[in-house]
Amino acid sequence: MTDATETTATTEPTAPTLLRVLVARRHWQVYETFRHHYERAAATLAERERDQRISKLTVSKRQFERWYGGELKTRPYPDQCRVLETMFGIPVDELLGPAPLSVEEPRSSVFTGVDGPWADLGVGERERQVAMAARRAFRFSSSIEGSSVGAETLDQLGDEVRRIAAVYPQLPLPTLLGDLVELQDTSFRFLEQGRIRPIQARELYMLAGMASGMLAKASHDLGDPRSAMTQARTAYVCAENADHPALRAWARGLQSLITYWSGQPHEAARYAALGTATAQGLRGTTTVWLACLAARAHAILGDVEAAKAAAARAEDARSALRLDDLDAYGGIMTFPTPRQLYYTAEASVHLGDDHRAAETQALAAVRAYREAQPEEWAFSDEAGAHTNLALARVASDEVDGAADAVRPVLDLPVEQRNFGIVTSARRVHDALCAPRFRGARAALEVRSEIQEFSAFSTAAVLR
């Protein structure tokens, strides 16, 4: 059963809805997270009322975004209202109305079964409180170890790097940025002030380098290439002090990525070459990434031979792969096959010498992300795969097909509209501005949607 049917019109609120406030408070802004809790509430309601029909209810991504964004031209269908009331314990008219200045949630929930001081908090709020308490405990334990760095503190830093690296490609940046800044600050503080043994210093520099590298990516995602390059250079310096060749190569890869998206393809190719030279003798996925970065940079420069040679090197590196200690952190620290397919397709789209081959490769990347293992999925790269497919179809004058390809990108919430995604969408917009599409209604509609989509990005959420 879907959520397509709605009834009676309501007035669109001018202030944030109570639903939006509660979703943000519980950190359910990611669609998959909200859907999980929605389906869980539906199952609970179905069991309580012995109505298995309700257990099949779900919520589409677009419907969630309408609710979260306050785009309420119609009232949800009655069964949806009941599920929402089960989730939050608040009447749906209040949920979908303007949030009061002070928001108090009900003191009980069908999900909790919890007594004690946190019984009045929703599931998401309790999880947030637990996470905050854990971070506070880490700050306390690290401070009482004095100016020396204890083994427990070092292990905790490593765990935090591993956690953030794993989820960075999958969660909106606003949910991670605070933790990432604190992680870098803590590692820097120990390096600047702590009494550390040489073996600890090497590990601390490695962790600080990864934290700085992730902040380089964060700065890039916010559209700030200057800060991104500063963080990437810091990551490289930390890698040098850690004497870690793979981390040095990875930092060069970040510099290539940043310059590529900031419109400096020559610099992107140069940094990819520097990284490849640094990675001689290595066999982790960073070697595949560097070759793909080179292929993409050379392709946008129109150097067909260099681009295809780099793509072939990426295939060879994948065949000879041996995962290293960076790959063990997962997430942003590794370069899985779906991401390689996305880069390869983008290079083909830039070359523009074979539109059908580019479309085939872009389709392969889209399918790879659709079927990816959870640890290999990344919302930003999946969006890039879709925009590449749209560009390949525009090149073949398939405007309707391009509109279908870019649709999932335009459905992304503001929190996920990072700089790369918005830039990719604008490429589709610009391609559809070609004179041959001047009278095409479908092209005009997609251009208009992309303009609206591009007006609000992730950076706006953090202002």
Side-chain angles (χ1 to χ4, degrees), residues 22-79:
L22 295 180
V23 167
R25 176 181 291 184
R26 298 180 183 197
H27 302 285
W28 292 354
Q29 299 100 314
V30 177
Y31 161 65
E32 288 77 10
T33 303
F34 183 90
R35 186 184 66 188
H36 166 76
H37 289 288
Y38 185 93
E39 292 174 352
R40 188 179 174 194
T44 299
L45 180 63
E47 182 177 356
R48 189 175 68 197
E49 297 191 359
R50 299 182 180 179
D51 185 354
Q52 288 307 303
R53 177 183 55 86
I54 297 174
S55 68
K56 297 181 175 62
L57 284 174
T58 187
V59 57
S60 71
K61 189 171 187 178
R62 182 58 186 144
Q63 182 64 71
F64 162 65
E65 289 167 5
R66 281 198 293 263
W67 290 345
Y68 184 70
E71 302 171 20
L72 305 172
K73 295 182 174 62
T74 57
R75 178 187 175 88
Y77 188 78
D79 284 344

Short mmCIF file of all heavy atoms in Angstrom, two decimals, residues 22-79:
data_model
loop_
_atom_site.label_atom_id
_atom_site.label_comp_id
_atom_site.label_asym_id
_atom_site.label_seq_id
_atom_site.Cartn_x
_atom_site.Cartn_y
_atom_site.Cartn_z
N LEU A 22 10.29 18.42 15.17
CA LEU A 22 10.48 17.15 15.86
C LEU A 22 11.37 16.20 15.06
O LEU A 22 12.19 15.48 15.64
CB LEU A 22 9.12 16.50 16.14
CG LEU A 22 8.20 17.27 17.10
CD1 LEU A 22 6.89 16.52 17.28
CD2 LEU A 22 8.88 17.49 18.44
N VAL A 23 11.22 16.19 13.74
CA VAL A 23 12.08 15.35 12.91
C VAL A 23 13.53 15.79 13.05
O VAL A 23 14.44 14.96 13.20
CB VAL A 23 11.62 15.40 11.44
CG1 VAL A 23 12.68 14.80 10.52
CG2 VAL A 23 10.31 14.65 11.26
N ALA A 24 13.77 17.09 13.02
CA ALA A 24 15.14 17.59 13.17
C ALA A 24 15.69 17.28 14.56
O ALA A 24 16.85 16.90 14.71
CB ALA A 24 15.17 19.10 12.92
N ARG A 25 14.85 17.43 15.59
CA ARG A 25 15.30 17.17 16.95
C ARG A 25 15.72 15.71 17.12
O ARG A 25 16.67 15.40 17.84
CB ARG A 25 14.17 17.51 17.94
CG ARG A 25 14.50 17.17 19.38
CD ARG A 25 13.36 17.52 20.31
NE ARG A 25 13.17 18.96 20.43
CZ ARG A 25 12.28 19.51 21.26
NH1 ARG A 25 11.51 18.76 22.00
NH2 ARG A 25 12.17 20.83 21.32
N ARG A 26 14.99 14.81 16.46
CA ARG A 26 15.30 13.38 16.58
C ARG A 26 16.34 12.91 15.57
O ARG A 26 16.69 11.74 15.52
CB ARG A 26 14.02 12.56 16.40
CG ARG A 26 12.97 12.87 17.46
CD ARG A 26 11.71 12.05 17.26
NE ARG A 26 10.68 12.41 18.24
CZ ARG A 26 9.62 11.67 18.51
NH1 ARG A 26 9.44 10.54 17.88
NH2 ARG A 26 8.75 12.06 19.41
N HIS A 27 16.82 13.83 14.71
CA HIS A 27 17.82 13.51 13.68
C HIS A 27 17.28 12.47 12.69
O HIS A 27 17.97 11.54 12.30
CB HIS A 27 19.13 13.03 14.31
CG HIS A 27 19.74 14.03 15.25
ND1 HIS A 27 20.38 15.17 14.81
CD2 HIS A 27 19.76 14.09 16.60
CE1 HIS A 27 20.78 15.89 15.85
NE2 HIS A 27 20.41 15.25 16.94
N TRP A 28 16.05 12.67 12.26
CA TRP A 28 15.43 11.78 11.28
C TRP A 28 15.35 12.46 9.91
O TRP A 28 14.55 12.07 9.07
CB TRP A 28 14.01 11.41 11.72
CG TRP A 28 13.92 10.54 12.93
CD1 TRP A 28 14.93 9.96 13.62
CD2 TRP A 28 12.71 10.15 13.61
NE1 TRP A 28 14.46 9.24 14.70
CE2 TRP A 28 13.09 9.34 14.71
CE3 TRP A 28 11.36 10.41 13.40
CZ2 TRP A 28 12.16 8.77 15.58
CZ3 TRP A 28 10.43 9.86 14.27
CH2 TRP A 28 10.83 9.05 15.34
N GLN A 29 16.19 13.48 9.65
CA GLN A 29 16.06 14.24 8.40
C GLN A 29 16.39 13.40 7.17
O GLN A 29 15.96 13.73 6.07
CB GLN A 29 16.99 15.46 8.41
CG GLN A 29 16.69 16.45 9.51
CD GLN A 29 17.63 16.28 10.67
OE1 GLN A 29 17.89 15.16 11.11
NE2 GLN A 29 18.15 17.38 11.17
N VAL A 30 17.20 12.34 7.32
CA VAL A 30 17.51 11.47 6.19
C VAL A 30 16.27 10.62 5.89
O VAL A 30 15.69 10.00 6.78
CB VAL A 30 18.72 10.57 6.50
CG1 VAL A 30 19.00 9.62 5.36
CG2 VAL A 30 19.94 11.44 6.80
N TYR A 31 15.88 10.59 4.62
CA TYR A 31 14.64 9.92 4.23
C TYR A 31 14.59 8.48 4.71
O TYR A 31 13.59 8.01 5.26
CB TYR A 31 14.49 9.97 2.71
CG TYR A 31 13.51 8.95 2.17
CD1 TYR A 31 12.16 9.02 2.49
CD2 TYR A 31 13.94 7.92 1.34
CE1 TYR A 31 11.26 8.08 1.99
CE2 TYR A 31 13.06 6.98 0.85
CZ TYR A 31 11.72 7.07 1.19
OH TYR A 31 10.85 6.13 0.71
N GLU A 32 15.69 7.73 4.52
CA GLU A 32 15.69 6.32 4.89
C GLU A 32 15.45 6.14 6.39
O GLU A 32 14.79 5.18 6.82
CB GLU A 32 17.01 5.65 4.48
CG GLU A 32 17.17 5.45 2.98
CD GLU A 32 17.53 6.71 2.24
OE1 GLU A 32 17.84 7.72 2.91
OE2 GLU A 32 17.50 6.69 1.00
N THR A 33 15.98 7.06 7.19
CA THR A 33 15.76 6.99 8.64
C THR A 33 14.30 7.25 8.98
O THR A 33 13.68 6.52 9.76
CB THR A 33 16.65 8.02 9.36
OG1 THR A 33 18.01 7.77 9.01
CG2 THR A 33 16.49 7.92 10.86
N PHE A 34 13.73 8.30 8.39
CA PHE A 34 12.33 8.61 8.64
C PHE A 34 11.43 7.45 8.20
O PHE A 34 10.50 7.07 8.91
CB PHE A 34 11.94 9.89 7.91
CG PHE A 34 10.52 10.33 8.17
CD1 PHE A 34 10.22 11.18 9.23
CD2 PHE A 34 9.47 9.88 7.37
CE1 PHE A 34 8.92 11.57 9.48
CE2 PHE A 34 8.16 10.27 7.61
CZ PHE A 34 7.89 11.11 8.67
N ARG A 35 11.71 6.91 7.02
CA ARG A 35 10.88 5.80 6.52
C ARG A 35 10.93 4.61 7.46
O ARG A 35 9.91 3.96 7.71
CB ARG A 35 11.35 5.39 5.12
CG ARG A 35 10.44 4.34 4.46
CD ARG A 35 11.01 3.89 3.14
NE ARG A 35 12.26 3.17 3.34
CZ ARG A 35 13.05 2.79 2.34
NH1 ARG A 35 12.75 3.09 1.09
NH2 ARG A 35 14.18 2.14 2.59
N HIS A 36 12.13 4.33 8.00
CA HIS A 36 12.27 3.22 8.95
C HIS A 36 11.33 3.42 10.14
O HIS A 36 10.59 2.50 10.54
CB HIS A 36 13.71 3.12 9.43
CG HIS A 36 13.89 2.24 10.63
ND1 HIS A 36 13.87 0.87 10.56
CD2 HIS A 36 14.09 2.56 11.95
CE1 HIS A 36 14.03 0.37 11.78
NE2 HIS A 36 14.17 1.36 12.63
N HIS A 37 11.32 4.61 10.72
CA HIS A 37 10.48 4.86 11.89
C HIS A 37 9.00 4.90 11.50
O HIS A 37 8.14 4.49 12.29
CB HIS A 37 10.91 6.17 12.57
CG HIS A 37 12.23 6.06 13.26
ND1 HIS A 37 12.40 5.35 14.43
CD2 HIS A 37 13.45 6.54 12.95
CE1 HIS A 37 13.67 5.42 14.81
NE2 HIS A 37 14.33 6.13 13.93
N TYR A 38 8.71 5.40 10.31
CA TYR A 38 7.32 5.43 9.84
C TYR A 38 6.79 4.00 9.69
O TYR A 38 5.69 3.67 10.16
CB TYR A 38 7.26 6.17 8.51
CG TYR A 38 5.86 6.37 7.96
CD1 TYR A 38 5.15 7.52 8.24
CD2 TYR A 38 5.26 5.41 7.16
CE1 TYR A 38 3.87 7.71 7.74
CE2 TYR A 38 3.98 5.59 6.65
CZ TYR A 38 3.29 6.74 6.94
OH TYR A 38 2.03 6.92 6.45
N GLU A 39 7.56 3.14 9.04
CA GLU A 39 7.12 1.76 8.84
C GLU A 39 7.03 1.01 10.17
O GLU A 39 6.17 0.15 10.37
CB GLU A 39 8.06 1.05 7.87
CG GLU A 39 7.94 1.60 6.45
CD GLU A 39 8.97 1.02 5.50
OE1 GLU A 39 9.89 0.29 5.98
OE2 GLU A 39 8.88 1.28 4.28
N ARG A 40 7.92 1.35 11.08
CA ARG A 40 7.88 0.73 12.41
C ARG A 40 6.60 1.14 13.14
O ARG A 40 5.94 0.32 13.80
CB ARG A 40 9.11 1.18 13.19
CG ARG A 40 9.31 0.48 14.52
CD ARG A 40 10.58 1.01 15.16
NE ARG A 40 10.75 0.47 16.51
CZ ARG A 40 11.62 0.96 17.38
NH1 ARG A 40 12.36 1.98 17.06
NH2 ARG A 40 11.73 0.43 18.58
N ALA A 41 6.24 2.42 13.01
CA ALA A 41 5.00 2.90 13.64
C ALA A 41 3.79 2.24 13.01
O ALA A 41 2.82 1.88 13.70
CB ALA A 41 4.91 4.42 13.52
N ALA A 42 3.82 2.06 11.68
CA ALA A 42 2.71 1.41 10.99
C ALA A 42 2.53 -0.02 11.48
O ALA A 42 1.40 -0.49 11.71
CB ALA A 42 2.95 1.43 9.48
N ALA A 43 3.65 -0.72 11.66
CA ALA A 43 3.57 -2.10 12.16
C ALA A 43 3.02 -2.15 13.57
O ALA A 43 2.21 -3.03 13.93
CB ALA A 43 4.96 -2.74 12.10
N THR A 44 3.45 -1.19 14.40
CA THR A 44 2.96 -1.13 15.78
C THR A 44 1.46 -0.85 15.80
O THR A 44 0.69 -1.47 16.55
CB THR A 44 3.71 -0.04 16.56
OG1 THR A 44 5.10 -0.36 16.58
CG2 THR A 44 3.19 0.08 17.98
N LEU A 45 1.03 0.11 14.99
CA LEU A 45 -0.38 0.46 14.92
C LEU A 45 -1.22 -0.71 14.41
O LEU A 45 -2.30 -0.99 14.93
CB LEU A 45 -0.56 1.68 14.03
CG LEU A 45 -1.99 2.21 13.84
CD1 LEU A 45 -2.56 2.68 15.17
CD2 LEU A 45 -1.99 3.35 12.82
N ALA A 46 -0.71 -1.41 13.40
CA ALA A 46 -1.44 -2.56 12.84
C ALA A 46 -1.62 -3.65 13.88
O ALA A 46 -2.69 -4.26 13.99
CB ALA A 46 -0.68 -3.10 11.62
N GLU A 47 -0.56 -3.90 14.67
CA GLU A 47 -0.65 -4.93 15.70
C GLU A 47 -1.61 -4.50 16.81
O GLU A 47 -2.41 -5.31 17.29
CB GLU A 47 0.74 -5.19 16.28
CG GLU A 47 0.77 -6.29 17.32
CD GLU A 47 2.17 -6.58 17.82
OE1 GLU A 47 3.12 -5.98 17.30
OE2 GLU A 47 2.30 -7.40 18.75
N ARG A 48 -1.54 -3.24 17.18
CA ARG A 48 -2.39 -2.75 18.26
C ARG A 48 -3.87 -2.79 17.88
O ARG A 48 -4.74 -3.12 18.69
CB ARG A 48 -1.98 -1.32 18.64
CG ARG A 48 -2.67 -0.78 19.89
CD ARG A 48 -2.10 0.58 20.25
NE ARG A 48 -2.45 1.59 19.26
CZ ARG A 48 -1.83 2.76 19.15
NH1 ARG A 48 -0.80 3.03 19.93
NH2 ARG A 48 -2.20 3.63 18.25
N GLU A 49 -4.17 -2.46 16.61
CA GLU A 49 -5.55 -2.40 16.16
C GLU A 49 -5.97 -3.66 15.38
O GLU A 49 -7.09 -3.73 14.87
CB GLU A 49 -5.76 -1.16 15.29
CG GLU A 49 -5.52 0.12 16.07
CD GLU A 49 -5.97 1.37 15.32
OE1 GLU A 49 -6.45 1.21 14.17
OE2 GLU A 49 -5.85 2.46 15.87
N ARG A 50 -5.04 -4.61 15.27
CA ARG A 50 -5.30 -5.87 14.57
C ARG A 50 -5.81 -5.61 13.15
O ARG A 50 -6.78 -6.20 12.69
CB ARG A 50 -6.30 -6.72 15.35
CG ARG A 50 -5.79 -7.11 16.73
CD ARG A 50 -6.79 -7.98 17.46
NE ARG A 50 -6.27 -8.34 18.78
CZ ARG A 50 -6.93 -9.10 19.67
NH1 ARG A 50 -8.13 -9.57 19.36
NH2 ARG A 50 -6.39 -9.37 20.84
N ASP A 51 -5.10 -4.72 12.47
CA ASP A 51 -5.44 -4.35 11.10
C ASP A 51 -4.17 -4.46 10.25
O ASP A 51 -3.40 -3.50 10.12
CB ASP A 51 -6.00 -2.92 11.07
CG ASP A 51 -6.48 -2.51 9.69
OD1 ASP A 51 -6.28 -3.29 8.72
OD2 ASP A 51 -7.04 -1.41 9.56
N GLN A 52 -3.94 -5.64 9.67
CA GLN A 52 -2.71 -5.88 8.94
C GLN A 52 -2.59 -5.03 7.68
O GLN A 52 -1.51 -4.87 7.12
CB GLN A 52 -2.59 -7.36 8.58
CG GLN A 52 -2.30 -8.25 9.77
CD GLN A 52 -1.08 -7.75 10.55
OE1 GLN A 52 0.02 -7.62 9.99
NE2 GLN A 52 -1.26 -7.46 11.84
N ARG A 53 -3.71 -4.49 7.23
CA ARG A 53 -3.67 -3.58 6.08
C ARG A 53 -2.75 -2.39 6.36
O ARG A 53 -1.99 -1.95 5.48
CB ARG A 53 -5.09 -3.10 5.79
CG ARG A 53 -5.24 -2.10 4.68
CD ARG A 53 -6.70 -1.67 4.57
NE ARG A 53 -7.19 -1.16 5.84
CZ ARG A 53 -7.06 0.10 6.23
NH1 ARG A 53 -6.45 0.98 5.44
NH2 ARG A 53 -7.55 0.50 7.39
N ILE A 54 -2.76 -1.90 7.59
CA ILE A 54 -1.96 -0.73 7.95
C ILE A 54 -0.47 -1.08 7.96
O ILE A 54 0.38 -0.22 7.69
CB ILE A 54 -2.41 -0.18 9.31
CG1 ILE A 54 -3.87 0.28 9.22
CG2 ILE A 54 -1.53 0.97 9.78
CD1 ILE A 54 -4.46 0.71 10.53
N SER A 55 -0.14 -2.33 8.25
CA SER A 55 1.28 -2.71 8.34
C SER A 55 2.01 -2.55 7.01
O SER A 55 3.23 -2.51 6.98
CB SER A 55 1.40 -4.16 8.81
OG SER A 55 0.91 -5.04 7.82
N LYS A 56 1.26 -2.45 5.91
CA LYS A 56 1.88 -2.32 4.59
C LYS A 56 2.11 -0.87 4.20
O LYS A 56 2.66 -0.59 3.13
CB LYS A 56 1.01 -3.00 3.54
CG LYS A 56 0.86 -4.51 3.74
CD LYS A 56 -0.01 -5.12 2.65
CE LYS A 56 -0.06 -6.63 2.76
NZ LYS A 56 -0.66 -7.09 4.02
N LEU A 57 1.72 0.07 5.06
CA LEU A 57 1.91 1.48 4.74
C LEU A 57 3.38 1.85 4.73
O LEU A 57 4.16 1.40 5.58
CB LEU A 57 1.18 2.36 5.76
CG LEU A 57 -0.34 2.46 5.64
CD1 LEU A 57 -0.89 3.24 6.81
CD2 LEU A 57 -0.73 3.13 4.32
N THR A 58 3.76 2.69 3.78
CA THR A 58 5.11 3.25 3.76
C THR A 58 4.99 4.71 3.35
O THR A 58 3.88 5.25 3.23
CB THR A 58 6.01 2.47 2.79
OG1 THR A 58 7.36 2.96 2.92
CG2 THR A 58 5.55 2.59 1.34
N VAL A 59 6.11 5.38 3.16
CA VAL A 59 6.10 6.79 2.77
C VAL A 59 7.12 6.97 1.68
O VAL A 59 8.25 6.47 1.77
CB VAL A 59 6.40 7.70 3.98
CG1 VAL A 59 7.72 7.36 4.64
CG2 VAL A 59 6.36 9.17 3.57
N SER A 60 6.74 7.64 0.61
CA SER A 60 7.67 7.89 -0.49
C SER A 60 8.62 9.02 -0.11
O SER A 60 8.36 9.81 0.80
CB SER A 60 6.91 8.27 -1.76
OG SER A 60 6.36 9.56 -1.63
N LYS A 61 9.72 9.08 -0.85
CA LYS A 61 10.70 10.14 -0.59
C LYS A 61 10.09 11.51 -0.83
O LYS A 61 10.29 12.45 -0.06
CB LYS A 61 11.91 9.93 -1.50
CG LYS A 61 13.09 10.82 -1.19
CD LYS A 61 14.30 10.39 -1.99
CE LYS A 61 15.53 11.17 -1.56
NZ LYS A 61 16.74 10.74 -2.29
N ARG A 62 9.34 11.65 -1.93
CA ARG A 62 8.74 12.94 -2.24
C ARG A 62 7.71 13.34 -1.19
O ARG A 62 7.62 14.50 -0.79
CB ARG A 62 8.09 12.89 -3.63
CG ARG A 62 7.47 14.21 -4.07
CD ARG A 62 8.49 15.32 -4.09
NE ARG A 62 7.88 16.61 -4.36
CZ ARG A 62 8.26 17.75 -3.82
NH1 ARG A 62 9.26 17.77 -2.95
NH2 ARG A 62 7.67 18.88 -4.14
N GLN A 63 6.92 12.36 -0.70
CA GLN A 63 5.94 12.67 0.33
C GLN A 63 6.63 13.13 1.61
O GLN A 63 6.19 14.10 2.25
CB GLN A 63 5.07 11.45 0.62
CG GLN A 63 3.98 11.70 1.65
CD GLN A 63 2.97 12.72 1.15
OE1 GLN A 63 2.19 12.42 0.26
NE2 GLN A 63 2.99 13.91 1.70
N PHE A 64 7.68 12.43 1.99
CA PHE A 64 8.44 12.84 3.18
C PHE A 64 8.95 14.27 3.03
O PHE A 64 8.86 15.09 3.96
CB PHE A 64 9.61 11.89 3.41
CG PHE A 64 10.68 12.44 4.31
CD1 PHE A 64 10.42 12.71 5.64
CD2 PHE A 64 11.96 12.71 3.81
CE1 PHE A 64 11.41 13.23 6.48
CE2 PHE A 64 12.93 13.24 4.63
CZ PHE A 64 12.66 13.49 5.97
N GLU A 65 9.47 14.61 1.85
CA GLU A 65 10.01 15.94 1.64
C GLU A 65 8.90 17.00 1.69
O GLU A 65 9.13 18.12 2.17
CB GLU A 65 10.75 16.00 0.31
CG GLU A 65 12.06 15.23 0.34
CD GLU A 65 12.65 15.00 -1.04
OE1 GLU A 65 12.09 15.54 -2.02
OE2 GLU A 65 13.65 14.29 -1.12
N ARG A 66 7.71 16.66 1.21
CA ARG A 66 6.59 17.60 1.31
C ARG A 66 6.21 17.83 2.77
O ARG A 66 5.97 18.97 3.18
CB ARG A 66 5.39 17.09 0.51
CG ARG A 66 5.51 17.31 -0.98
CD ARG A 66 4.16 17.20 -1.66
NE ARG A 66 3.63 15.85 -1.60
CZ ARG A 66 3.73 14.95 -2.57
NH1 ARG A 66 4.38 15.25 -3.68
NH2 ARG A 66 3.20 13.74 -2.45
N TRP A 67 6.15 16.76 3.54
CA TRP A 67 5.84 16.91 4.96
C TRP A 67 6.92 17.71 5.67
O TRP A 67 6.64 18.64 6.41
CB TRP A 67 5.69 15.54 5.63
CG TRP A 67 4.46 14.78 5.21
CD1 TRP A 67 3.36 15.27 4.56
CD2 TRP A 67 4.20 13.40 5.43
NE1 TRP A 67 2.45 14.28 4.35
CE2 TRP A 67 2.93 13.11 4.88
CE3 TRP A 67 4.92 12.37 6.04
CZ2 TRP A 67 2.37 11.84 4.92
CZ3 TRP A 67 4.37 11.11 6.09
CH2 TRP A 67 3.10 10.84 5.54
N TYR A 68 8.16 17.33 5.45
CA TYR A 68 9.28 17.97 6.15
C TYR A 68 9.43 19.43 5.72
O TYR A 68 9.75 20.31 6.52
CB TYR A 68 10.58 17.22 5.86
CG TYR A 68 11.76 17.75 6.62
CD1 TYR A 68 11.87 17.58 8.00
CD2 TYR A 68 12.79 18.42 5.96
CE1 TYR A 68 12.96 18.07 8.70
CE2 TYR A 68 13.88 18.92 6.65
CZ TYR A 68 13.95 18.74 8.02
OH TYR A 68 15.03 19.24 8.72
N GLY A 69 9.19 19.71 4.44
CA GLY A 69 9.33 21.07 3.94
C GLY A 69 8.12 21.95 4.15
O GLY A 69 8.14 23.14 3.84
N GLY A 70 7.01 21.37 4.67
CA GLY A 70 5.83 22.16 4.91
C GLY A 70 5.03 22.46 3.66
O GLY A 70 4.24 23.40 3.63
N GLU A 71 5.24 21.66 2.60
CA GLU A 71 4.51 21.87 1.34
C GLU A 71 3.16 21.16 1.43
O GLU A 71 2.92 20.13 0.80
CB GLU A 71 5.33 21.33 0.17
CG GLU A 71 6.70 21.96 0.04
CD GLU A 71 7.55 21.26 -0.99
OE1 GLU A 71 6.99 20.55 -1.87
OE2 GLU A 71 8.78 21.40 -0.92
N LEU A 72 2.27 21.70 2.20
CA LEU A 72 1.05 21.00 2.60
C LEU A 72 -0.18 21.57 1.91
O LEU A 72 -0.97 22.30 2.50
CB LEU A 72 0.90 21.05 4.12
CG LEU A 72 2.10 20.53 4.90
CD1 LEU A 72 1.93 20.80 6.38
CD2 LEU A 72 2.29 19.05 4.64
N LYS A 73 -0.33 21.25 0.64
CA LYS A 73 -1.52 21.69 -0.08
C LYS A 73 -2.70 20.77 0.21
O LYS A 73 -3.85 21.13 -0.04
CB LYS A 73 -1.23 21.74 -1.57
CG LYS A 73 -0.18 22.79 -1.96
CD LYS A 73 0.00 22.82 -3.46
CE LYS A 73 0.94 23.96 -3.85
NZ LYS A 73 2.27 23.82 -3.29
N THR A 74 -2.44 19.58 0.70
CA THR A 74 -3.51 18.63 1.02
C THR A 74 -3.22 17.97 2.36
O THR A 74 -2.07 17.92 2.81
CB THR A 74 -3.62 17.53 -0.06
OG1 THR A 74 -2.36 16.86 -0.17
CG2 THR A 74 -4.02 18.11 -1.40
N ARG A 75 -4.26 17.46 2.96
CA ARG A 75 -4.11 16.75 4.23
C ARG A 75 -3.81 15.29 3.94
O ARG A 75 -4.36 14.71 3.01
CB ARG A 75 -5.43 16.86 5.01
CG ARG A 75 -5.45 16.12 6.34
CD ARG A 75 -6.87 16.16 6.91
NE ARG A 75 -6.97 15.39 8.12
CZ ARG A 75 -6.73 15.87 9.34
NH1 ARG A 75 -6.36 17.13 9.48
NH2 ARG A 75 -6.84 15.12 10.41
N PRO A 76 -2.90 14.66 4.72
CA PRO A 76 -2.61 13.24 4.48
C PRO A 76 -3.86 12.39 4.59
O PRO A 76 -4.82 12.73 5.29
CB PRO A 76 -1.60 12.90 5.60
CG PRO A 76 -0.98 14.21 5.96
CD PRO A 76 -2.06 15.23 5.78
N TYR A 77 -3.82 11.25 3.93
CA TYR A 77 -4.90 10.28 3.99
C TYR A 77 -5.09 9.83 5.45
O TYR A 77 -4.13 9.80 6.23
CB TYR A 77 -4.53 9.10 3.10
CG TYR A 77 -5.62 8.08 2.90
CD1 TYR A 77 -6.68 8.32 2.02
CD2 TYR A 77 -5.58 6.88 3.58
CE1 TYR A 77 -7.67 7.37 1.84
CE2 TYR A 77 -6.58 5.93 3.40
CZ TYR A 77 -7.62 6.18 2.53
OH TYR A 77 -8.61 5.25 2.36
N PRO A 78 -6.31 9.48 5.87
CA PRO A 78 -6.55 9.16 7.28
C PRO A 78 -5.60 8.13 7.88
O PRO A 78 -5.15 8.29 9.02
CB PRO A 78 -8.00 8.66 7.27
CG PRO A 78 -8.63 9.42 6.16
CD PRO A 78 -7.58 9.54 5.10
N ASP A 79 -5.29 7.06 7.13
CA ASP A 79 -4.36 6.06 7.68
C ASP A 79 -2.98 6.65 7.91
O ASP A 79 -2.29 6.31 8.89
CB ASP A 79 -4.26 4.85 6.75
CG ASP A 79 -5.48 3.94 6.85
OD1 ASP A 79 -6.23 4.07 7.83
OD2 ASP A 79 -5.69 3.12 5.94
#
